[in-house]
Amino acid sequence: MKSTHGLVAILILAGACSLFAQPTTLVQNDWEDGTLQGWIPRGGGVVLANSTEVAHGGTHSLKTTGRTAGFNGPSLNLVGLINGATYQVTASVRLVTGTPATQLKITVQRTVNGTNNFDSVAQSAATGVTDSAWTTLTGLYSYTGTDPSALLLYVESASTTASYYVDDFSIVLVGNPPGPPPNTNGLFSGFESGTREGWTPRIGTEVVNPSSADAHSGTFSLLTTGRTAAFQGPAIDVTNIMFNGSRYVISVWAKLAPGEASSQLRVSLQRNIGSTTTFHTAVGNTTVTSGAWVRLSATYDFAFVNTSVTMYVESNSGTASFYIDDVSITFVPPPTVETNLASLGQVLSPYVFVGAAVNATTISGVHGDLLSKHFNSITSENDMKWDATEASEGTFTFANADAQVSFAKAHGMRVRGHTLVWHNQIPAWVFTDPNTGTTMTPTPQNKTLLLQRLRNHIQGLLTHFGSDVYAWDVVNEAIDPSQSDCLRRSTWYTITGKDFIDTAFQTARQFAPNAKLFYNDFSTTDTGKRQCIFNLVADLKSRGIPIDAVGHQMHINLNYPGVQPVLDTVNQLATLGIDQQFTEFDISVGTSFTAYSDIPASVLAQQGYEYRDYLNAARLLQGKLSSVTFWGMADDHTWLTSGTVVDAPLPFDTSLHAKLAYWGIVDQSQLPGIALTGTLGTKAGPQNARVWTLTFSNAGTGAAYGAQLSGFTLTQTSGAACTPVVSAALPVALGDIAANGSASANITIDFTGCPALARFSLSAPYSSSNGWNAGAILRNNEFR
Ligand code: XIL
């Protein structure tokens, strides 16, 4: 027996070379020593013998006879030999002469807490093994979870009686289990060394060389020419850079060589494990031209056990020559909850409940910890919608929603229900006319049927959730201010007019008499829409239709809508005697679903100020606004990030750490540039060209981004009237003022005609972060 024990092998390996897995042979059985090499019979009558009748290599093999069941066969105890790593198992098998062709399999019986699991490792084709030739079976094996108490590998057959030989059996450790990465250095290749910086031709016939003919930054890039296949390109070994179980941001700048027609490039990975190779796309096909540098970028969860990995750039088709530059692989720390932070829910508890939209995955693990720490209310992001709860008529599904409600109850949180009636995420059957099998047309019968389906749906949900859900978005997004009657032309409207709204609220009250019933919508602060909502609520109330509250989704962005419209809207609707909430709050850093590939620090700073101001508005609206629910918790999961569009609208980042948005709510002194102050400094020059110097100092942490002097107004306070002429191109840009830095603006004033005793007051407003961090230099009785 020539088996070595895994642990010893790994330790030797770690000492001798590097921390990542190299193929290590743990078991190798060739039976050349005439023994059974540790193999034992599995099953009563099974007989094992060392045989010289046939051999795959050498002159000996292991012969199995006497089988009476498919699961009988030769077996090897693996306890203590393997753990949660990944192994390649290989065996050559052949039937004893005269045995009809059959299937052979390698299986592992894994016993955990008294329960047997049968893990399939490798198998031949259905009748793939014969008595005339050797067949080699090979497969990868790994297991996760609790350590097994018994672990028995065996070679079995579909035939219950077949006799067979096994030879050249091996177990090779090919990959360590996922764990903390040995390093988090990542990679950067800027090629400014004028060398290939570890990059090579992937196949060998393409030519990969540093080039100063073009560069994304600096002087050099890496040029690949002479490609004869789409899969040829520059490659780099990332075995010791990307590790199983870690997340990376991959970024490659690319440009085609002059004269090449537009082409699609992508970033791929070649994963080698044992004798197996697999290919994976890390950054999808991206159109690249010879006219401009284009970034190929993605966040990539690297989840491959491997013995080696190569990253390379290839084309979707064609063989264009291309440059790459400024290649980076950046390790993204795994999410953790910062335990020393104040809870958002507690900070805002004098004013509002603080909620988050959740899904099946964000109620457990670190996300669950973040949720219970900072929030005291939840909304199911999708799992209480019609398509999730009643995908086919009368059959209700609540598994995901129930898990979320249970989480909320276990942590003393409130649950908002979202949503009973909407034109989206609604299954087709709801609007299907049973007589035609197609979408309903407006007839009295269809109206009756649709309203009945609506009642049934609401009854089904509300009786299920009962008092566990304290508030319901009964009707969502039914208003369209461009219509004269303010009602969106949805199928609900087409078939029922506005009756679906009445029916929904009445049915909701009937089956959840204590729930707070909401009308919920987006862009509620637009004047037209606001008035439509006002009219709708007033109308419902005047007709005795039960409605308790209005939900403002508040899907807003850096430029929209501004704080004042929010205050005005809530104040106006409050006159109707209803409650209000922000139900889906997020601040997109893009507009119209476009965003940055790297979100600039200045943008996140501005977002921090906006979070401060909008949440201060919520505080000011105390008594009129009862809850603020964010549409998610952290930027690792937001509806605004999809595909290549990456947004960052929430208070926590992709590692679940507090963003400036969080600090804007909790402690504004943390916001960059918050300590920016302005002073009136020297005055110099003649009466007709007096120069007043205004100095701006940033004493705080972080830069004051995009600082500017935005006004300069002199108002005469004494002396005979005169008219000083200020010549300044306002606003005066001051740029980014670094922490502990300062900047000045000189304003020239012509005081010709002003008497010696003339005095003026000065108002000079200034700001940073696009006006969100604002101050003013105010001086009274200023001598000219
Ligand atoms: C969004 C969810 O966040 C997405 O996961 C889903 O794919 C589409 O719906 N207004 C609403 C929410 O009322 O239900 C929407 O939620 C976002 C806009």
Side-chain angles (χ1 to χ4, degrees):
M1 169 150 177
K2 291 197 280 178
S3 63
T4 40
H5 279 261
L7 190 60
V8 176
I10 293 168
L11 290 177
I12 291 167
L13 175 77
C17 63
S18 67
L19 282 168
F20 52 90
Q22 295 280 343
T24 306
T25 302
L26 304 180
V27 179
Q28 182 122 50
N29 298 132
D30 57 12
W31 289 283
E32 293 302 307
D33 64 357
T35 75
L36 298 182
Q37 297 195 337
W39 287 69
I40 50 175
R42 179 173 197 264
V46 172
V47 176
L48 302 188
N50 189 299
S51 168
T52 52
E53 291 160 11
V54 290
H56 178 255
T59 52
H60 293 252
S61 63
L62 180 71
K63 182 179 184 184
T64 302
T65 54
R67 296 174 63 253
T68 57
F71 50 79
N72 287 171
S75 63
L76 183 67
N77 182 10
L78 301 183
V79 170
L81 193 62
I82 71 171
N83 57 23
T86 300
Y87 307 87
Q88 184 160 21
V89 177
T90 306
S92 293
V93 293
R94 175 175 175 156
L95 301 184
V96 170
T97 306
T99 306
T102 184
Q103 181 177 45
L104 261 64
K105 306 178 198 172
I106 303 175
T107 306
V108 172
Q109 178 179 348
R110 179 169 50 93
T111 311
V112 176
N113 297 328
T115 303
N116 284 324
N117 304 274
F118 296 94
D119 302 333
S120 175
V121 179
Q123 54 192 14
S124 72
T127 53
V129 182
T130 68
D131 61 0
S132 59
W134 288 92
T135 299
T136 298
L137 311 180
T138 189
L140 296 174
Y141 182 61
S142 65
Y143 63 82
T144 55
T146 310
D147 286 343
S149 56
L151 201 59
L152 190 72
L153 177 145
Y154 56 102
V155 181
E156 60 177 329
S157 173
S159 153
T160 54
T161 56
S163 295
Y164 40 84
Y165 307 97
V166 178
D167 202 0
D168 289 337
F169 175 87
S170 64
I171 300 179
V172 179
L173 170 72
V174 288
N176 287 329
N183 74 67
T184 57
N185 303 339
L187 168 140
F188 180 78
S189 303
F191 307 107
E192 293 308 304
S193 61
T195 71
R196 300 200 298 204
E197 299 184 358
W199 291 77
T200 55
R202 172 165 183 249
I203 303 299
T205 53
E206 68 275 59
V207 178
V208 172
N209 274 318
S211 166
S212 57
D214 204 340
H216 172 253
S217 72
T219 311
F220 285 97
S221 63
L222 189 73
L223 174 62
T224 302
T225 55
R227 300 169 68 234
T228 53
F231 54 78
Q232 290 188 330
I236 189 159
D237 184 348
V238 294
T239 315
N240 203 13
I241 290 166
M242 298 179 81
F243 297 95
N244 187 17
S246 291
R247 171 176 288 190
Y248 299 90
V249 173
I250 298 173
S251 172
V252 176
W253 287 92
K255 186 177 179 179
L256 300 189
E260 297 282 11
S262 166
S263 173
Q264 287 191 316
L265 299 183
R266 63 172 172 257
V267 181
S268 303
L269 296 170
Q270 176 174 335
R271 185 267 300 246
N272 304 308
I273 175 161
S275 58
T276 305
T277 296
T278 57
F279 301 94
H280 309 274
T281 300
V283 184
N285 289 328
T286 308
T287 300
V288 180
T289 69
S290 61
W293 286 92
V294 172
R295 187 183 202 195
L296 286 67
S297 181
T299 298
Y300 191 72
D301 286 316
F302 186 83
F304 300 117
V305 188
N306 64 82
T307 41
S308 66
V309 192
T310 305
M311 186 176 91
Y312 59 100
V313 182
E314 62 179 332
S315 50
N316 187 29
S317 62
T319 57
S321 296
F322 60 87
Y323 303 98
I324 60 170
D325 200 0
D326 294 337
V327 179
S328 60
I329 301 176
T330 309
F331 174 77
V332 179
T336 51
V337 174
E338 296 170 305
T339 51
N340 54 344
L341 296 182
S343 155
L344 282 180
Q346 280 167 18
V347 166
L348 292 169
S349 64
Y351 309 95
V352 285
F353 288 94
V354 180
V358 302
N359 62 37
T361 62
T362 55
I363 55 168
S364 62
V366 279
H367 291 85
D369 294 343
L370 188 75
L371 183 60
S372 58
K373 177 176 168 67
H374 288 285
F375 302 89
N376 47 42
S377 174
I378 62 164
T379 304
S380 184
E381 185 178 3
N382 288 301
D383 294 315
M384 290 190 191
K385 291 174 182 173
W386 200 313
D387 59 350
T389 50
E390 196 187 6
S392 62
E393 184 160 16
T395 304
F396 289 90
T397 310
F398 295 120
N400 284 348
D402 284 350
Q404 293 153 22
V405 170
S406 299
F407 182 96
K409 289 169 90 170
H411 294 92
M413 305 163 88
R414 309 177 7 135
V415 182
R416 297 191 82 258
H418 176 82
T419 176
L420 300 176
V421 189
W422 193 22
H423 57 277
N424 280 337
Q425 292 178 275
I426 182 157
W429 69 260
V430 178
F431 299 123
T432 300
D433 179 341
N435 297 316
T436 64
T438 58
T439 304
M440 288 175 170
T441 53
T443 64
Q445 294 86 338
N446 280 335
K447 176 171 176 173
T448 303
L449 176 61
L450 184 57
L451 291 176
Q452 189 55 48
R453 286 173 172 170
L454 175 59
R455 276 191 288 268
N456 293 345
H457 179 73
I458 294 176
Q459 178 178 355
L461 266 74
L462 271 47
T463 53
H464 176 80
F465 291 108
S467 57
D468 288 345
V469 173
Y470 85 97
W472 278 101
D473 290 331
V474 177
V475 176
N476 196 31
E477 301 181 357
I479 283 175
D480 176 355
S482 72
Q483 304 293 343
S484 58
D485 63 358
C486 284
L487 292 176
R488 177 192 287 272
R489 291 336 187 214
S490 66
T491 315
W492 289 112
Y493 175 89
T494 312
I495 306 301
T496 79
K498 69 174 184 181
D499 287 5
F500 74 97
I501 300 176
D502 295 3
T503 298
F505 280 104
Q506 285 165 327
T507 311
R509 179 66 95 228
Q510 183 185 351
F511 292 102
N514 298 318
K516 195 176 266 203
L517 305 183
F518 280 74
Y519 176 75
N520 191 53
D521 214 328
F522 61 90
S523 297
T524 53
T525 55
D526 294 0
T527 46
K529 198 151 182 185
R530 181 206 306 184
Q531 194 58 44
C532 285
I533 294 170
F534 186 94
N535 295 345
L536 171 75
V537 174
D539 172 60
L540 290 172
K541 287 184 81 100
S542 74
R543 292 186 295 112
I545 309 291
I547 178 166
D548 304 311
V550 167
H552 306 273
Q553 292 184 5
M554 293 290 285
H555 292 298
I556 65 177
N557 65 50
L558 290 182
N559 306 320
Y560 168 86
V563 171
Q564 196 56 46
V566 175
L567 295 169
D568 293 346
T569 301
V570 175
N571 283 324
Q572 185 196 1
L573 293 180
T575 63
L576 292 166
I578 47 150
D579 186 27
Q580 296 175 72
Q581 300 186 344
F582 296 167
T583 55
E584 305 180 17
F585 193 95
D586 51 16
I587 304 182
S588 171
V589 298
T591 51
S592 311
F593 295 87
T594 58
Y596 306 89
S597 45
D598 273 328
I599 300 168
S602 60
V603 165
L604 294 172
Q606 181 177 336
Q607 187 188 46
Y609 281 101
E610 297 201 13
Y611 260 90
R612 175 192 69 174
D613 290 358
Y614 284 109
L615 271 295
N616 277 343
R619 288 166 160 117
L620 284 172
L621 293 166
Q622 190 171 21
K624 298 172 187 161
L625 188 83
S626 61
S627 170
V628 174
T629 291
F630 298 96
W631 207 236
M633 292 186 275
D635 292 339
D636 66 333
H637 174 80
T638 156
W639 73 306
L640 298 174
T641 290
S642 66
T644 56
V645 175
V646 177
D647 210 327
L650 292 164
F652 298 95
D653 68 17
T654 56
S655 295
L656 310 190
H657 298 167
K659 292 166 62 186
L660 293 172
Y662 167 91
W663 291 113
I665 302 172
V666 172
D667 175 9
Q668 64 160 325
S669 74
Q670 308 290 322
L671 293 174
I674 190 81
L676 183 65
T677 52
T679 50
L680 173 59
T682 56
K683 295 184 240 176
Q687 161 140 343
N688 64 353
R690 191 68 44 88
V691 177
W692 287 16
T693 300
L694 310 182
T695 301
F696 301 88
S697 306
N698 177 17
T701 45
Y705 294 102
Q708 64 174 37
L709 170 66
S710 35
F712 189 95
T713 306
L714 292 173
T715 308
Q716 192 168 3
T717 50
S718 67
C722 65
T723 308
V725 179
V726 176
S727 49
L730 292 163
V732 180
L734 302 164
D736 296 346
I737 305 177
N740 299 313
S742 63
S744 298
N746 292 331
I747 305 293
T748 305
I749 311 148
D750 181 353
F751 282 106
T752 303
C754 289
L757 287 177
R759 296 286 186 279
F760 302 86
S761 68
L762 168 66
S763 170
Y766 59 88
S767 69
S768 68
S769 281
N770 270 330
W772 288 86
N773 178 31
I777 301 173
L778 298 175
R779 296 286 293 256
N780 227 337
N781 225 30
E782 201 59 40
F783 177 57
R784 61 188 166 83

